[in-house]
Amino acid sequence: ASADDWTNRAIYQVVTDRFALGNGSSPSCDTSQKKYCGGNWQGIINNLDYIQSMGFDAIWISPVVENVQGTTTEGEAYHGYWPQNINSLNSNFGSADDLKSLSSALHGKGMYLMVDVVVNHVVANPTNTSSVWPETFDYSQLQPFGGSNSFHTQCFIDDYNNQTDVEQCWLGDSGLPLLDLDTENSTVVDTMYSWIKNLVSDYNIDGLRVDTAKHIRQDFWPDFASNAGVYTVGEILIGNVTYAAPYTKALDSVLDYPTYYAVYDAFTNGTSGNMSVITEMVTQAQDQYNHGTFYVGSFVENQDNPRIQSTVTDQSIVKNAMTWPFINDGIPILYYGQEQGYQGGNDPANREALWLSGFNTENKPLVTHVKTLNAARKQAISYNSSFLTTKASFISQSSTSTLAVSKPPFLALLTNGGSSSSVSWSIPSSAGLYTGSETLVDVLTCETVTPSSDGSLSVSASSGLPKVLMPAEALSKSGSLCSSQ
Ligand code: ABC
Ligand code: CA
């Protein structure tokens, strides 16, 4: 599927080892152990209804290839980011048939499969990583790259401001080095291009999340992407739009990390969090990214960062932050477990087992919240055929604790004030959003508000809850959302 095919989708991100077991069991899973807990592809297949019932129509799964076996100084490779043999699958997650079954089960439900892929490095069994590395090192375990000439000379990245270091030195440390592939070497390059082509076609993959994309020269990526032939979204882990921007030409787009940092900071620092930084970051990204922000992956949690609720548990603030990816440009991504209120901090605590929630959706306000947001976004897409290609715009507010985002038919009003605050937003008639004759419905509560006759609008909220307003007319043909409107 192309980038355009993905734009109306919403992605549920799964850490395969931590989502569900194929046999339905619920073993304990101590994240601090950094060990496999037993989740697998069959487990995902068995629980697709859970994902789909919240309105998601795509999943992103952990890297699928065989990883370093046994334990390392950083635990086991349960997350999948330590490839050892790229031509074989990680048997902890299942067989080739299981992965094909996952792909066809998704397609049978009209859903897409995004696979995480690691091209930058491979990892050797650390018990063989002797201090005389690399001379006596057994490269044959790294398939199909069995020789020192497939790798950059060892050096660990210590200066992230030096792009040559970032690309050609190694991630990890001497305890667990991530061997940096020589992606300037044409044999390595050709191997990777044909590998990705085969992977996509063997498993009928619809899109790729490209790990460590900034650790490989930019001009490696366009041919990689064309061999893949599907939507590619790169992980450029940086808080800086100008740095990330060129990668939106090399790949279809990037995970929107710069905005993520702005959003995380705005919502996890009480009212000193500055919401206007979000406006600045998005505006820069809209200006600098190829295709603006229409193809970015928009998220507020993932496997590398502390969950929102590790810092702030006020449910009003949590709901505001969770609303963000669904009301702005780009493809929303929800990291598994956020809907269950998980609170894990930094890696590895943020990789809790979802099965411990029992996949319960009753009395789970955040499940309901996400379901409504997905339904509202689908309704917005079907009501306004230009929704996906209209840039989000920001209506300036007098307080840095509030944010007003217009993406017609949405007007989203967010705040970091929290449940004991009382805040208000005002939209001047000069914003040109309303004529004054419409009724607006907050799809999160089904309450209505009415603009003044001059088209201006002022809205207040007690309890610090977010509002996602849509004209009643935009809801009239929707079966489920605020159906009495
Ligand atoms: C293990 C342990 C951790 C330990 C770590 C050193 O080693 O589990 O406890 O802290 C996988 C595993 C991890 C594992 C690593 C290393 O491998 O999942 O558990 O950590 O063995 C991707 C994946 C990630 C994966 C890998 C490796 C890469 O999403 O899950 O990790 O395949 C860098 C990379 C980025 C990578 C990330 C983990 O590390 O660029 O691709 N993620 C700065 C740098 C970033 C750097 C980041 C963190 O620090 O610029 O490049 O990311 O080290 C912003 C700034 C940014 C700054 C951030 C922190 O702040 O603008 O520049 O990022 O404001
Ligand atoms: Ca590299």
Side-chain angles (χ1 to χ4, degrees):
S2 68
D4 282 318
D5 296 331
W6 276 84
T7 52
N8 65 0
R9 302 258 156 183
I11 304 172
Y12 186 83
Q13 180 193 351
V14 165
V15 170
T16 303
D17 182 60
R18 301 296 162 84
F19 183 67
L21 277 73
N23 65 12
S25 66
S26 303
S28 63
C29 176
D30 176 355
T31 54
S32 71
Q33 296 290 307
K34 307 192 229 176
K35 288 185 173 153
Y36 282 102
C37 286
N40 54 25
W41 296 319
Q42 186 60 49
I44 304 176
I45 296 172
N46 296 351
N47 289 285
L48 287 179
D49 285 345
Y50 170 81
I51 298 172
Q52 192 173 40
S53 70
M54 288 183 282
F56 293 99
D57 44 15
I59 64 169
W60 149 15
I61 62 172
S62 307
V64 298
V65 303
E66 185 180 322
N67 269 225
V68 65
Q69 317 268 320
T71 195
T72 77
T73 55
E74 295 292 351
E76 296 177 355
Y78 69 91
H79 43 69
Y81 291 102
W82 298 335
Q84 178 159 74
N85 179 348
I86 63 167
N87 289 324
S88 158
L89 294 177
N90 189 333
S91 57
N92 293 280
F93 301 154
S95 65
D97 281 345
D98 293 337
L99 185 53
K100 287 177 186 165
S101 301
L102 173 58
S103 178
S104 51
L106 284 161
H107 295 149
K109 288 174 161 294
M111 298 170 76
Y112 280 172
L113 173 62
M114 172 176 283
V115 171
D116 206 326
V117 290
V118 183
V119 179
N120 176 63
H121 53 263
V122 288
V123 179
N125 189 328
T127 60
N128 296 346
T129 312
S130 67
S131 52
V132 287
W133 173 277
E135 290 78 10
T136 60
F137 184 72
D138 171 17
Y139 286 93
S140 67
Q141 57 191 316
L142 299 169
Q143 290 298 324
F145 305 104
S148 62
N149 59 352
S150 295
F151 299 93
H152 289 131
T153 306
Q154 181 179 326
C155 50
F156 290 103
I157 304 171
D158 61 12
D159 180 6
Y160 269 95
N161 295 315
N162 179 334
Q163 186 60 24
T164 308
D165 270 24
V166 170
E167 290 173 9
Q168 302 193 7
C169 288
W170 298 17
L171 285 163
D173 54 30
S174 57
L176 184 63
L178 309 190
L179 283 80
D180 204 70
L181 282 161
D182 182 358
T183 43
E184 282 71 31
N185 171 326
S186 64
T187 309
V188 170
V189 171
D190 291 346
T191 300
M192 281 304 184
Y193 288 174
S194 59
W195 169 74
I196 198 60
K197 190 176 185 145
N198 292 333
L199 188 80
V200 167
S201 85
D202 288 352
Y203 301 104
N204 224 331
I205 295 166
D206 304 291
L208 300 174
R209 182 266 189 190
V210 181
D211 188 63
T212 38
K214 74 183 211 187
H215 296 281
I216 295 183
R217 64 191 163 91
Q218 284 167 26
D219 58 6
F220 169 88
W221 293 118
D223 287 341
F224 180 84
S226 61
N227 275 282
V230 294
Y231 172 61
T232 51
V233 62
E235 182 219 14
I236 306 295
L237 205 170
I238 198 85
N240 178 313
V241 169
T242 306
Y243 182 97
Y247 295 91
T248 62
K249 288 206 172 87
L251 293 164
D252 282 319
S253 198
V254 296
L255 294 169
D256 195 4
Y257 255 110
T259 303
Y260 158 77
Y261 283 115
V263 171
Y264 192 89
D265 289 349
F267 287 110
T268 57
N269 287 294
T271 45
S272 54
N274 186 347
M275 308 274 281
S276 67
V277 179
I278 300 174
T279 306
E280 286 166 30
M281 213 49 95
V282 173
T283 308
Q284 283 181 30
Q286 288 173 335
D287 291 347
Q288 296 184 38
Y289 289 172
N290 193 27
H291 313 289
T293 37
F294 297 135
Y295 295 160
V296 303
S298 183
F299 62 96
V300 293
E301 285 189 358
N302 67 22
Q303 81 285 9
D304 288 345
N305 291 283
R307 293 185 182 273
I308 300 271
Q309 292 213 54
S310 70
T311 309
V312 46
T313 52
D314 181 310
Q315 293 302 294
S316 292
I317 299 181
V318 171
K319 284 182 180 165
N320 273 274
M322 283 179 79
T323 302
W324 170 257
F326 297 88
I327 53 86
N328 85 102
D329 305 339
I331 303 165
I333 304 173
L334 183 103
Y335 181 53
Y336 87 99
Q338 186 170 30
E339 77 281 10
Q340 292 288 347
Y342 281 8
Q343 302 184 340
N346 279 307
D347 168 14
N350 57 357
R351 299 163 180 193
E352 308 96 317
L354 194 75
W355 56 80
L356 299 174
S357 72
F359 298 94
N360 191 358
T361 56
E362 300 296 311
N363 302 316
K364 294 284 172 143
L366 299 182
V367 169
T368 308
H369 188 53
V370 161
K371 215 176 191 170
T372 306
L373 291 167
N374 267 322
R377 182 167 175 270
K378 291 295 190 218
Q379 184 59 25
I381 292 167
S382 78
Y383 176 74
N384 175 3
S385 59
S386 320
F387 176 81
L388 294 168
T389 50
T390 302
K391 282 197 248 181
S393 63
F394 297 84
I395 295 120
S396 138
Q397 300 296 301
S398 56
S399 158
T400 57
S401 272
T402 55
L403 189 71
V405 190
S406 166
K407 188 170 167 83
F410 280 163
L411 173 65
L413 305 175
L414 305 183
T415 173
N416 62 12
S419 49
S420 52
S421 72
S422 105
V423 291
S424 58
W425 298 264
S426 66
I427 310 295
S429 59
S430 60
L433 295 187
Y434 303 116
T435 62
S437 61
E438 51 280 270
T439 300
L440 307 176
V441 181
D442 172 15
V443 298
L444 299 173
T445 58
C446 299
E447 287 167 9
T448 58
V449 291
T450 326
S452 305
S453 56
D454 66 353
S456 66
L457 176 70
S458 74
V459 181
S460 51
S462 52
S463 315
L465 288 165
K467 292 184 183 294
V468 177
L469 302 177
M470 290 173 83
E473 190 207 334
L475 292 176
S476 58
K477 291 195 189 65
S478 138
S480 53
L481 276 170
C482 302
S483 49
S484 60
Q485 297 303 322

